[in-house]
Amino acid sequence: MASIFHPAFLEWLERHDEPPSAPEAEYAGDWKVFSLAPDRHLVLRGWEDPTADPPTAIFLDRSAALLCAAVLPLDARPTLFVLRRPALPPGDYAILVRDGYRPESESGAEPVGEVRSFSESQLFALHLAGGLTRSPHSLALVLEAAGPAAMSLVGGILHRRLGLRD
């Protein structure tokens, strides 16, 4: 990849350890979908050129490509939510939300609720939903992937939920 940095500086960078946030930095940012044909949709970083840079992913379906672009920034981040197991059964699991980069740590995590039982897939879905709320760009990609009918329905639902007047 071309860089404005001097090769000696780039070599120096490669000799140093990455911070725990490095995976998120690699996948953060705005992702875009570039459609080459009805069945060829490239997922690229916002600044990448589809004629010069290799795509991160290629999809047959545009909506699947949009969903991929929406979740890429979320996948590199440690899960936003963790469970604290009850001290004595039967008990409720505490649900904690965190912003740190310690993958399994509860350090710095704040309790936001509790639940009687919870699966790993539910915890991951909560992570994805929470991540989408933190990234307007990703949320917009999900809405675009949903299509015009779903976007129209979402508009009506939000209009009613927020108690807006015509």
Side-chain angles (χ1 to χ4, degrees):
M1 177 198 309
S3 176
I4 64 167
F5 293 116
H6 191 276
F9 176 68
L10 295 173
E11 288 174 20
W12 177 85
L13 285 175
E14 288 192 23
R15 291 192 304 270
H16 291 79
D17 290 336
E18 293 284 359
S21 61
E24 185 176 4
E26 184 164 340
Y27 285 101
D30 60 323
W31 289 86
K32 66 182 177 185
V33 173
F34 186 84
S35 298
L36 293 175
D39 63 349
R40 187 160 170 83
H41 308 279
L42 312 179
V43 178
L44 302 141
R45 289 175 179 84
W47 61 88
E48 291 179 324
D49 180 351
T51 62
D53 297 308
T56 297
I58 301 171
F59 286 88
L60 299 174
D61 179 71
R62 181 172 170 76
S63 60
L66 288 164
L67 292 174
C68 177
V71 301
L72 277 172
L74 311 177
D75 188 41
R77 187 174 214 296
T79 54
L80 292 170
F81 296 91
V82 292
L83 292 179
R84 182 183 300 146
R85 309 239 183 261
L88 297 171
D92 292 342
Y93 291 85
I95 299 174
L96 311 171
V97 66
R98 64 184 168 152
D99 282 319
Y101 289 97
R102 294 174 197 92
E104 300 301 322
S105 173
E106 292 180 6
S107 175
E110 297 290 326
V112 294
E114 56 186 45
V115 65
R116 234 175 255 299
S117 65
F118 217 62
S119 71
E120 289 299 316
S121 62
Q122 290 170 326
L123 194 62
F124 186 68
L126 187 58
H127 165 71
L128 287 176
L132 289 172
T133 65
R134 294 168 180 231
S135 172
H137 184 264
S138 291
L139 188 56
L141 291 172
V142 169
L143 284 172
E144 184 181 346
M151 280 191 273
S152 178
L153 291 168
V154 166
I157 292 166
L158 287 173
H159 188 271
R160 283 187 297 284
R161 288 183 58 84
L162 298 175
L164 302 175
R165 299 175 193 240
D166 290 334

